Amino acid sequence: MQLPGLESRCKFGAMNGNRATAWAEGTSADLVDDALALGVKASPRMVTSWVEDGMLANPQPRKTSAHGSDPRVFPPEQRELFTRLLEARERSPLGRIPQRSLIRVVLYLWLIDDTVVLTPQARRAWRTHARATGQTTAVRRSENVRAIVEQLAHPSASLKQRRAAQRVLEEGERTGQIDINRLTAVLTDLYSPWPVQPGMPRIERALPGPFGPVPVQHHIAMWKARQETISLLKREEIDETELDRVRAVYRPMWADYQARRPAMATIGAGAFASYFAEPDSMEGRAIEAVDAFVGTLAGELGLIEAASHAAETARLRLAR
């Protein structure tokens, strides 16, 4: 998904061909007219739905007489946002970009800028994003999990071990609930599929990573921490103050990572370059930035530390 070049202070695009567009505040009816001018079917109910989902901010009251108020209005930045999202959606070679992709762009704007998407809107957008996370067909979920299993599996892992890991992962993705003891057991067998010898400690391998060996407990802890973070976002249990605080932590960390990215791609003579490849589209950048913020949020909430402790406890219990 490609979005227009950035001209206005909202950093989302203010160009209509070669002519700058002067955006003005507008009512819900004005936004509907904007959509119809693009050839997109729209209605006041659609605008209301976008507000509920965090695609748009709440319109503001505008009182112009002593006897009543005019219809609520959206500020110029939000009217532009509405149009640009519709334009991007209609340009997609897929026909229509799904809402979960557009919501990530809204969140990306919140992450990089303070003028277009404000935190009350972003909180609703995070809820919508969290609700869409993992919502896919059983066939697609099975394909995704199978790819993860093959990525983690040792070549000598049996078909039975692979199937056991896939069942537990699919169940966790479908329900959002993780039995960390059961997950540790099946993924340890998948990662290190050798029989335990009586009186000998279990041999456990670690996969190579750009910053050192990666044991299976790392994958378990990160999966559990992210699932818990998504669950909190889904229930809107993270308030606006906390979202703003974590965003303030995230921004310099993300900027530092972007600056060091080319050098990091050379680690191990480029063996891990794919880890640091930069997305070549707006949607790709949005996906990457949003996922990174979820990881930062999990860390700032202490969920990664707690999940790591739980994963290590499960490993020790399995070893006994």
Side-chain angles (χ1 to χ4, degrees), residues 61-72:
R62 182 181 57 175
K63 188 175 180 65
T64 58
S65 72
H67 303 291
S69 298
D70 287 345
R72 290 172 175 258

Side-chain angles (χ1 to χ4, degrees), residues 140-214:
R140 177 61 63 83
R141 185 164 52 243
S142 180
E143 290 174 350
N144 292 341
V145 168
R146 189 179 300 114
I148 293 172
V149 167
E150 290 308 311
Q151 180 184 2
L152 298 181
H154 186 274
S156 62
S158 68
L159 181 60
K160 181 179 179 180
Q161 289 168 325
R162 293 168 194 261
R163 286 177 173 171
Q166 181 158 342
R167 282 195 300 271
V168 174
L169 287 171
E170 282 187 13
E171 182 180 336
E173 287 293 312
R174 178 175 54 82
T175 65
Q177 302 297 317
I178 298 175
D179 182 335
I180 199 162
N181 292 319
R182 185 180 174 208
L183 182 64
T184 297
V186 297
L187 288 190
T188 299
D189 282 347
L190 183 74
Y191 220 68
S192 306
W194 306 288
V196 178
Q197 300 300 321
M200 298 290 291
R202 180 169 194 150
I203 299 175
E204 295 188 33
R205 73 176 180 128
L207 289 175
F211 305 112
V214 182

Side-chain angles (χ1 to χ4, degrees), residues 25-246:
E25 63 183 19
T27 64
S28 176
D30 291 327
L31 267 63
V32 170
D33 289 342
D34 292 342
L36 295 176
L38 294 173
V40 178
K41 291 182 180 180
S43 67
R45 176 56 196 159
M46 172 188 170
V47 175
T48 300
S49 176
W50 276 39
V51 170
E52 292 171 350
D53 291 340
M55 301 277 283
L56 290 171
N58 285 314
Q60 300 302 307
R62 182 181 57 175
K63 188 175 180 65
T64 58
S65 72
H67 303 291
S69 298
D70 287 345
R72 290 172 175 258
V73 293
F74 294 90
E77 295 85 358
Q78 288 286 313
R79 188 173 180 182
E80 180 182 4
L81 174 63
F82 179 71
T83 297
R84 298 308 185 197
L85 289 173
L86 288 178
E87 288 176 340
R89 188 181 72 176
E90 296 305 306
R91 278 199 305 272
S92 170
L94 302 177
R96 284 290 180 91
I97 294 175
Q99 189 189 51
R100 65 178 176 272
S101 294
L102 293 179
I103 206 71
R104 282 193 291 256
V105 173
V106 171
L107 292 170
Y108 180 57
L109 291 172
W110 174 75
L111 287 170
I112 67 173
D113 187 75
D114 296 325
T115 62
V116 184
V117 178
L118 303 184
T119 305
Q121 176 188 351
R123 190 182 183 201
R124 296 195 305 276
W126 278 116
R127 178 196 64 200
T128 301
H129 170 71
R131 288 177 176 175
T133 300
Q135 296 298 311
T136 185
T137 65
V139 172
R140 177 61 63 83
R141 185 164 52 243
S142 180
E143 290 174 350
N144 292 341
V145 168
R146 189 179 300 114
I148 293 172
V149 167
E150 290 308 311
Q151 180 184 2
L152 298 181
H154 186 274
S156 62
S158 68
L159 181 60
K160 181 179 179 180
Q161 289 168 325
R162 293 168 194 261
R163 286 177 173 171
Q166 181 158 342
R167 282 195 300 271
V168 174
L169 287 171
E170 282 187 13
E171 182 180 336
E173 287 293 312
R174 178 175 54 82
T175 65
Q177 302 297 317
I178 298 175
D179 182 335
I180 199 162
N181 292 319
R182 185 180 174 208
L183 182 64
T184 297
V186 297
L187 288 190
T188 299
D189 282 347
L190 183 74
Y191 220 68
S192 306
W194 306 288
V196 178
Q197 300 300 321
M200 298 290 291
R202 180 169 194 150
I203 299 175
E204 295 188 33
R205 73 176 180 128
L207 289 175
F211 305 112
V214 182
V216 71
Q217 283 74 34
H218 168 79
H219 298 288
I220 295 170
M222 292 304 299
W223 191 41
K224 181 174 177 58
R226 292 181 70 87
Q227 287 279 57
E228 291 178 347
T229 304
I230 290 296
S231 181
L232 291 173
L233 291 168
K234 187 184 299 183
R235 299 193 300 269
E236 290 189 271
E237 293 184 8
I238 303 174
D239 62 30
E240 294 166 22
T241 300
E242 186 70 353
L243 287 173
D244 281 337
R245 183 189 71 80
V246 176

